[in-house]
Amino acid sequence: MTQNNLAVWGDPIDHSRSPLLHAAAYDVLGLEWNYARRQVDADGFDSALAGLDASWRGLSLTMPLKERAFAAATSRDRPATLTGAVNTLHFAVDGLRGYNTDVGGLGRALRRQGIEEADTARIVGAGATAASALVTLVDLGARRIEVAARNPLKAAALVELGAALQVLVVPSALGADTAARVDVTIGTLPGGTRLDGSVADALAAEGGALLDVAYSPWPSALAEHWFAQGKGAISGLSMLVEQALLQVRIFVAGAPEAELPNEPAVLLAMRDAVGLAS
């Protein structure tokens, strides 16, 4: 049986732009694959996974399924292992391979804007995406990373991860001392989250370049403060496209490092599909 079925699962899922991105990629590649979306909650994940037949090639996973997918995977790549999160499952001959393409997607989005390295960095928020942001920043060379969160106690796992990666992770309370100068900031707060104006201004003043994973609405509340100070900010849509490209590589060629045939055209079509300027 041909493996031509793919989907994105999550709860909620109606907002997902993954079907647009993947359909654009497979159209350029000339692949008649089906990529759908399905609402699956954490409690229903295991039974939904068990119900898939041999026609399935893989899954993209969004919240709240990344930890469930991590547990289901029979092998995991380095980013998934470090973060405890899997956003991509590939039904391979040797088992269910798990990947976290958010890490690579964040790094590619930053490099696309000319940000090749960073010595110091800040992560705003300590939620699920913060671990992927941390690994990304370490891969960019960061040696000191501040995690600014409403509740700094939630950054404990990030401190442990930083120690394992031999970098200093310093939790701080939003609204306290968040004015230390850094090279780059990654915002991981949910879309629509608004901070006190003076707090956001302080973050922007000393925050270097901003990549905010939020993209709806855009500009995000955080990005507005960067723009107000004449600074640039990268939309989370760029990260979304780049991590999806890595998923396409996995589904087509079996590895996130394997470049696609005519990949520049594939990436251009994916960016166009979500309205990103090329």
Side-chain angles (χ1 to χ4, degrees):
M1 184 180 292
T2 302
Q3 287 183 292
N4 61 356
N5 283 322
L6 298 154
V8 57
W9 289 3
D11 184 22
I13 199 60
D14 287 346
H15 68 286
S16 175
R17 303 195 189 187
S18 292
L20 291 173
L21 292 167
H22 283 260
Y26 304 135
D27 183 60
V28 173
L29 293 168
L31 297 170
E32 295 183 0
W33 290 357
N34 305 311
Y35 189 102
R37 59 163 64 90
R38 178 177 173 184
Q39 184 167 329
V40 178
D41 62 19
D43 290 339
F45 175 78
D46 291 340
S47 61
L49 185 64
L52 300 182
D53 62 24
S55 70
W56 283 83
R57 178 172 293 269
L59 295 170
S60 307
L61 293 314
T62 186
M63 298 304 294
L65 303 179
K66 295 181 182 182
E67 291 183 355
R68 292 294 184 119
F70 180 90
T74 55
S75 65
R76 307 170 186 92
D77 70 348
R78 171 182 173 270
T81 300
L82 288 172
T83 61
V86 160
N87 76 336
T88 311
L89 286 173
H90 179 213
F91 296 86
V93 174
D94 60 352
L96 194 56
R97 298 181 182 177
Y99 300 86
N100 180 346
T101 65
D102 287 341
V103 172
L106 284 165
R108 287 173 60 90
L110 287 168
R111 292 184 176 93
R112 186 177 180 86
Q113 298 299 317
I115 303 168
E116 299 286 344
E117 59 184 19
D119 185 58
T120 58
R122 177 176 294 118
I123 299 170
V124 181
T129 310
S132 293
L134 179 61
V135 176
T136 299
L137 292 167
V138 172
D139 289 347
L140 283 177
R143 306 305 303 169
R144 184 185 188 279
I145 301 171
E146 178 188 313
V147 179
R150 289 190 174 94
N151 181 1
L153 294 177
K154 291 186 177 180
L158 299 174
V159 173
E160 292 182 9
L161 177 57
L165 294 171
Q166 299 183 320
V167 299
L168 178 63
V169 175
V170 182
S172 69
L174 278 169
D177 183 11
T178 55
R181 183 177 295 275
V182 296
D183 299 321
V184 63
T185 297
I186 297 181
T188 68
L189 298 173
T193 302
R194 303 199 73 88
L195 299 176
D196 179 87
S198 62
V199 172
D201 283 340
L203 290 170
E206 303 294 345
L210 171 69
L211 190 164
D212 196 342
V213 301
Y215 57 85
S216 182
W218 185 260
S220 65
L222 198 58
E224 286 176 352
H225 291 267
W226 258 256
F227 290 141
Q229 296 184 25
K231 298 181 176 182
I234 306 167
S235 163
L237 268 184
S238 181
M239 173 262 194
L240 185 71
V241 171
E242 298 292 346
Q243 68 81 27
L245 178 72
L246 299 180
Q247 290 185 332
V248 174
R249 285 181 176 182
I250 291 165
F251 296 146
V252 171
E257 305 85 15
E259 290 195 16
L260 299 165
N262 200 14
E263 185 162 286
V266 173
L267 182 58
L268 178 61
M270 294 174 76
R271 289 178 63 85
D272 285 347
V274 292
L276 274 180
S278 302

